[in-house]
Amino acid sequence: MIKSLFRIEAWGSNLMECDYIVLRMRSPPPGFRFHFPNKLRTSSKSLLVPFRLNFSYCVALDVVESNPTSDSGYSDIRNSPSRFREGFRRKPRKATIRNLPNAVLLGENIEKDVRSKALDLDRMETLRSCSRVLRTCASERSLNEGRAIHGQVIKKGINPDSHLWVSLINAYAKCGSPTCARRVLEEMPERDVVSWTALIQGHVAEGYGCDGINLFCEMRREGVRPNEFTLATGLKACAICMDLNFGRQVHAEATKLGLDSDLFVGSALVDLYAKCGEMELADRVFFYMPEQNDVSWNALLNGYAQVGSGKEVFKLFSRMRESEMKFSKFTLSTVLKGCATSGNLREGQVVHSVAIKIGCKLDEILGCSLVDMYSKCGQACDALKVFKMIKDPDVVAWSAMITCLDQQGHSLEAVKLFLLMRCAGVRPNQFSFASLISAATDLGYLKYGESIHACIFKYGFKNEISVSNTLITMYMKTGCPQSGARVFEEMTDHDLVSWNALLSGCHGFKTCDLGPRIFCQMLVEGFMPNMYTYISVLRACSSLWNLGFGRQVHAHIIKNSLDGIDFIGTALVDMYCKSKCLDDADVVFNRLINRDLFTWTAIITGHARTDQAEKAVKCINLMQQEGFRPNDYTLASCLGGCSHIAALETGQQLHSMAIKAGQVGDVFVSSAIVDMYAKCGCLEDAEAIFRGLVLRDVVAWNTMICGYSHHGYGHKALETFWTMLDEGAVPDEVTFLGVLSACSRMGLVEEGKKQFNSLSEVFGITPTVEHYACMVDILGRAGKFDEVEHFIEKMELSPHALIWETVLGASKMHGNVEFGEKSAKRLFDLTPEVDSNYILLSNIFASKGRWDDVKNVRTLMSKRGVKKEPGCSWVEISGQVHIFVSQDGSHPKIRDIHLKLEDLSQKLTSAGYAPKMEHVLHNVTDKEKKEHLNHHSERLALGFALISTKPAKKIRIFKNLRICEDCHDVMKFISDITNREIVVRDINRFHHFKDGACSCQDYW
Ligand SMILES: [Zn+2]
Ligand SMILES: [Zn+2]
C-alpha cells in the first residue's frame, strides 16, 4: 500500500514540475516535456569519481575525438526527431561511459553531419537544433549522447546562446550528473535566473532536496532574483526534505515579490504544507489562490488523505467535481485512499462509479487503490473482483490483494494467491512476504512459514525491518521463541514493533523471565513503550508471578497516562489476579469503563483461584446482567474454585448455570463438574455425572480415579483405572498419582510396585517427585522402613522435602522414632519454616513419653520463630460458608456451639471415649487440655452444623490441616451417637464417618 501511495505522490510532483516548466520556459519547443524519474537515484554521484578537473569537457571531447571519421547528417536528427527518440528508447536507460558503442555511433553521425552540413546552416538554427537534441537526451536520460553533443559544441567552437546553456545544464542535471551541470553553470558568462532555476530543478528532480535549498541560497547570495519557477522549485526542494522552516521563508519571499498568488508557486506551497501535515496552512493558501488547477487540487487532496481525514478528502472531491475541474485517475486514487482510511465504503463505491462513468481504464494504479479501498472497508470479495479485472497486475497489485486476503482472515486464499503470483512470474517484494508470513502465523503452519523465511533470504529481504518483525511474531506465536529471538538478534536495526514482537513471546514457562529484562533493555535503548509493549510485559509478569515488577510497570503506565486504555486495564486485572492480589485487581477492574468478556473472565478466575468462589459466582451474575455469557473457560475455572474450598451449593448453582447455557456437553466443564462434586464430598453425584458423560477425556478419568482414591475407595479407583485402559484411553502422570495413592491407602504394596514400574516402562512417563513420594508412602504405611531407605537411596531425584515429609508421616503412624528423627532432621534443613514437621516429631516423642525431647523440639521451633499454623475448618450452611479457627470465640452462635459440644462430651464419655491429651502441646492442666481439644476448629464446625441443620442431613466439614487423632475418634463416636453421616475433608483425603467407623479404616 505504501508503495502505491508513493507512486501517486511521485506522479503528483511530476505533473506539477512538467506543467510549469513546459508552460513557462522561454519559448519551449513544441511537444517538449520533462521526464522525471520515479526512483531517487543515489548512485549517480559515484559515476563521476574517475574524472578529474574540468572532466565534463574532457569526457565530452574524448567521445568526439575517438571517432573523428563520422559522416552522418545532423539534419537527419533535426528532421526526424521521432526516429531519433525511437533509437534511444531501445538503449538502456542508464548510459554509462563503458557503454560506448551507441555513443560512438551517434558521435560519428554528428561528426559527419556537422562536417558536411553545419557550415551551411544558419548559426541560430544550429543552436536551436543542439538545444532540442540536448532536451531529448535529458528526457531519455542519455548522459553519453548529451556529452557527445556538448563535445561537438566545444569542438566546433559554437558560442552557446542562453538557450543552449540552459539546455546543457538541464541535460547534465537530468542525466544524473548534477556536478557537471554545476560546472557548466560556472562556465556561463552570464548566469541568469533561468540557468539557476534549471540547475536547481535538476537537483530537485534527482531528489536532492537539500542541495536544491543550498543552490537556492547561493543564487540569492549572488543577487539573482527568483522568478515564479525558482520559487516553486525551491518549495519543491523543501517538500522533499520536509524543511517547513525554509519553506516558510520562501513563502515570505514569494509574498514580497507578489508571486504568492501565482498558480505554480501556490500549487507548490499547497504541496509543501500538505506534505508537512500543515493542513490549515495548505487550506488557506489553496483558497487564497485566484484560480486552482488540478495540481493544487491533487496536492491538497493528497495532504488530507495522508493525515487520515477521509471525510475531508471526499468533501473536497465533491467540491472539485462541482467546480468542473478535470480530474484524472490519480485524483481518484487519492480520494480512494481517503475513503480507505476512513473506512467509508459508500463513498468509495461512489468514487468507483465515477471512475467507470468517466471511462477510466482499470490499470495498476487505479486497480490497486480500489483493491485497497475495498480491503480496508472489509469487502474482500469486491477487492478480489477488482483485482481479477486488472490486466497484468504488477507486484504492488498482487501484494495489495494478498495483504487484503490475509487481513480479512482468508489466510489460505492469501497463500494460494501467492502461488498464482509466482506462477505469473512476478517477483515478490517485502509487502507480499510480510503478508504471507502473517497468513502462515494465522494458519499455524510453522513449516510453511519457515520455507517462506528461506525465500526471504533468497530474495534478499532479510534486512527489511517489516519482514523481520512479522517473522519474529510468527515464531513467537507458533511456539518457537528461540527462533524468534534469533531473527531479532540478526536484525541490524530495530524499531518499536520489533521489540514488541520479541516481548510478545515472553509469557511461556521457559521464556517469561526474559520479559522484564527485555522491557528494561528496550527502555535503556530509548524506545517509548506503547500499549502492546505494556500488555506483553504484564503478561510476562503474570506468568512469572512477579508482582513487584508488575507494580513498577503499572506505575510506568500511569506516568505515561495510558491507564485509561481498556486493553491495558484488562492486562493489569489479569496480572493482579494471577499474582493473587485481588484487592488491587478489583480497584483496576472497577475503574474500567468498558469491560469485555476477557476482563470478566480474568476477574472471575482470579476470585475462583483465591478461594473466593462465592464472589466469583456473584461476578458471573453481574457479568450476565451486563450482557455477557460465561464461556466454558469461566465456568470450568469457577467450578475449580468451588472444588478447592468445597463450596458445594455454589458449585451446584454453577452446575445449573452450565445446564442452562447448554455447556454441560463441553468436556472441560463436565470434568470440572465431576471434580467439584468429588471434592465437595458428593461422590455419588460425581459418579452419576461421570457415567452420563458421552466424551471422557483423560482429565475426566483422572478426576474420577483420584476422587475414589481420596474418598478411600481404593478398589473402585483401581477398577476405574482398568476400565479406562480397556476403553483405550491413555493414562498420564496424574492418573498414576491417583492409582498409586489408591494402592497406598489400601496397603497394596505389590500392586503399587507393579504400577510404579509400568509408569515408565509401559507408558514412557518420567516419574515425578510426587510419584516417588507415593511409592515411599506405600512402603512407609506398610511399615517397610528398610525398603523405604533403599528406595530413597537409589532415587534418581535429588532429596526433596515431599519425600521426607512422607517418611516422617509414616514414622509417626508406626511410632518409628529412628526414622522420625532422621527425616525431621533433613526437613529442618530443607524447609525450616514448615510448622507441621516440628509438630509431627514432637508427637512421635510424646507418644513414647519422651517429654524432654518434646520440649527440645518446641524450643527449637520458637527459637526459629516458627508458629503453628492455626487449624481452620469450614462448613457451608444455606449457601454461606462459616469459617472456624481453633479456639476461636468470634462466631455469633459460639455460646450455643459450646453448649452443644459440652452436651455431647458427656455422652461421649459414657460411650467409652477417652481424650488423647498428648496432642496438646501446652503446659496446662488436664481439664484445660480437655477443653482445648474440645475447641479444635473441626469440632466447632461440627457443633455449628449439628445445631443448624435437619437431623437427617449429611454434614460436610473441611479442614486446612490434617485431622488430629483425637478429633478423628470424636467424629466416629458422634456419627454413631447422633446417627448422622459426617464427611471430613482434611489436607490429604476424605473421611466418611458412619455408624462409629471411618472409611479410612484409621489408616491415613
Ligand atoms: Zn482435633
Ligand atoms: Zn478417617
Side-chain angles (χ1 to χ4, degrees), residues 963 968 989-993 998-1004:
I963 184 171
H968 196 265
R989 57 172 299 149
F990 280 92
H991 301 265
H992 286 257
F993 300 97
C998 180
S999 64
C1000 74
Q1001 293 157 354
D1002 302 337
Y1003 190 61
W1004 82 97

Side-chain angles (χ1 to χ4, degrees), residues 910-956:
S910 49
Y913 156 78
K916 289 182 172 154
M917 306 285 198
E918 70 265 22
H919 293 287
V920 182
L921 294 174
H922 305 278
N923 277 327
V924 285
T925 62
D926 275 4
K927 188 173 175 275
E928 281 169 316
K929 277 187 183 172
K930 200 177 160 192
E931 194 157 280
H932 196 272
L933 283 173
N934 219 5
H935 294 168
H936 272 183
S937 65
E938 53 266 56
R939 281 196 222 180
L940 294 175
L942 175 69
F944 180 67
L946 284 170
I947 58 171
S948 332
T949 53
K950 288 189 192 109
K953 209 168 177 214
K954 206 189 251 183
I955 295 170
R956 290 187 180 82

Side-chain angles (χ1 to χ4, degrees), residues 138-158:
S139 70
E140 302 287 348
R141 301 178 61 77
S142 314
L143 179 64
N144 243 12
E145 286 78 356
R147 277 188 178 136
I149 307 286
H150 192 185
Q152 286 293 334
V153 170
I154 300 160
K155 203 179 168 197
K156 300 294 165 199
I158 300 167

Side-chain angles (χ1 to χ4, degrees), residues 137 208 446 783 824:
C137 293
Y208 301 129
L446 179 63

Side-chain angles (χ1 to χ4, degrees), residues 373-565:
M373 185 275 293
Y374 281 120
S375 157
K376 296 259 165 71
C377 295
Q379 307 291 317
C381 287
D382 289 334
L384 200 60
K385 266 186 221 159
V386 172
F387 176 75
K388 280 179 183 162
M389 285 196 283
I390 303 175
K391 229 178 151 193
D392 285 334
D394 65 352
V395 62
V396 181
W398 280 102
S399 307
M401 198 57 232
I402 292 173
T403 309
C404 164
L405 288 172
D406 167 50
Q407 284 173 353
Q408 304 286 316
H410 308 287
S411 307
L412 206 61
E413 274 67 30
V415 170
K416 283 181 191 159
L417 197 68
F418 180 72
L419 212 69
L420 283 177
M421 170 181 165
R422 296 292 304 278
C423 291
V426 178
R427 193 187 149 89
N429 65 6
Q430 67 267 44
F431 302 106
S432 20
F433 278 131
S435 300
L436 213 58
I437 291 289
S438 141
T441 312
D442 291 343
L443 291 167
Y445 290 174
L446 179 63
K447 283 272 164 279
Y448 183 73
E450 283 172 338
S451 70
I452 297 298
H453 191 173
C455 266
I456 289 165
F457 249 81
K458 199 171 119 190
Y459 283 100
F461 287 114
K462 75 180 181 78
N463 288 330
E464 203 66 51
I465 226 169
S466 59
V467 177
S468 300
N469 289 348
T470 45
L471 275 173
I472 299 174
T473 309
M474 178 193 76
Y475 284 122
M476 293 304 179
K477 283 200 178 155
T478 46
C480 299
Q482 281 83 9
S483 306
R486 211 176 308 142
V487 174
F488 183 86
E489 277 161 25
E490 278 166 15
M491 284 169 79
T492 42
D493 240 343
H494 300 119
D495 60 7
L496 187 60
V497 182
S498 337
W499 283 100
N500 285 349
L502 183 68
L503 258 180
S504 72
C506 294
H507 53 80
F509 170 64
K510 282 180 187 159
T511 48
C512 57
D513 57 327
L514 286 174
R517 263 153 58 193
I518 292 170
F519 181 73
C520 291
Q521 185 58 34
M522 177 183 166
L523 292 180
V524 167
E525 292 195 13
F527 283 93
M528 181 80 183
N530 66 4
M531 181 177 90
Y532 300 104
T533 327
Y534 286 125
I535 291 175
S536 295
V537 74
L538 284 171
R539 265 180 91 188
C541 292
S542 309
S543 310
L544 265 177
W545 293 7
N546 191 337
L547 181 63
F549 198 82
R551 281 191 203 282
Q552 287 182 40
V553 174
H554 190 179
H556 216 272
I557 290 167
I558 294 171
K559 232 167 83 183
N560 289 329
S561 329
L562 288 173
D563 51 332
I565 296 175

Side-chain angles (χ1 to χ4, degrees), residues 481-739:
Q482 281 83 9
S483 306
R486 211 176 308 142
V487 174
F488 183 86
E489 277 161 25
E490 278 166 15
M491 284 169 79
T492 42
D493 240 343
H494 300 119
D495 60 7
L496 187 60
V497 182
S498 337
W499 283 100
N500 285 349
L502 183 68
L503 258 180
S504 72
C506 294
H507 53 80
F509 170 64
K510 282 180 187 159
T511 48
C512 57
D513 57 327
L514 286 174
R517 263 153 58 193
I518 292 170
F519 181 73
C520 291
Q521 185 58 34
M522 177 183 166
L523 292 180
V524 167
E525 292 195 13
F527 283 93
M528 181 80 183
N530 66 4
M531 181 177 90
Y532 300 104
T533 327
Y534 286 125
I535 291 175
S536 295
V537 74
L538 284 171
R539 265 180 91 188
C541 292
S542 309
S543 310
L544 265 177
W545 293 7
N546 191 337
L547 181 63
F549 198 82
R551 281 191 203 282
Q552 287 182 40
V553 174
H554 190 179
H556 216 272
I557 290 167
I558 294 171
K559 232 167 83 183
N560 289 329
S561 329
L562 288 173
D563 51 332
I565 296 175
D566 295 327
F567 293 113
I568 292 185
T570 303
L572 279 168
V573 169
D574 189 52
M575 187 274 291
Y576 281 122
C577 283
K578 293 222 171 104
S579 311
K580 303 200 186 296
C581 248
L582 263 292
D583 292 342
D584 291 296
D586 272 333
V587 171
V588 179
F589 181 80
N590 291 329
R591 275 194 203 147
L592 283 179
I593 300 161
N594 297 311
R595 297 183 280 228
D596 60 6
L597 188 64
F598 295 104
T599 331
W600 278 108
T601 307
I603 197 89
I604 289 167
T605 43
H607 283 300
R609 283 183 188 156
T610 46
D611 301 346
Q612 304 180 59
E614 253 182 283
K615 222 170 169 185
V617 172
K618 258 184 212 153
C619 280
I620 287 198
N621 288 329
L622 277 175
M623 170 186 177
Q624 283 172 322
Q625 279 167 25
E626 279 195 17
F628 294 102
R629 265 185 56 185
N631 56 12
D632 47 351
Y633 181 74
T634 336
L635 281 175
S637 55
C638 265
L639 283 161
C642 293
S643 316
H644 197 240
I645 60 159
L648 178 64
E649 289 188 27
T650 314
Q652 282 167 331
Q653 278 181 40
L654 285 166
H655 185 184
S656 66
M657 220 180 252
I659 294 170
K660 262 193 250 168
Q663 276 162 325
V664 271
D666 182 273
V667 73
F668 291 110
V669 176
S670 52
S671 294
I673 292 171
V674 173
D675 187 49
M676 184 273 294
Y677 280 117
K679 292 238 171 86
C680 290
C682 305
L683 200 61
E684 300 83 8
D685 293 308
E687 246 177 339
I689 291 163
F690 178 75
R691 282 208 200 98
L693 288 185
V694 185
L695 264 175
R696 288 173 198 161
D697 65 350
V698 66
V699 180
W701 285 106
N702 290 350
T703 309
M704 213 51 229
I705 293 169
C706 295
Y708 280 132
S709 173
H710 282 140
H711 283 271
Y713 304 109
H715 54 284
K716 279 199 178 179
L718 289 178
E719 263 170 35
T720 314
F721 174 63
W722 289 319
T723 320
M724 175 185 180
L725 294 183
D726 286 345
E727 288 192 12
V730 181
D732 63 4
E733 48 261 53
V734 182
T735 323
F736 279 97
L737 285 178
V739 171

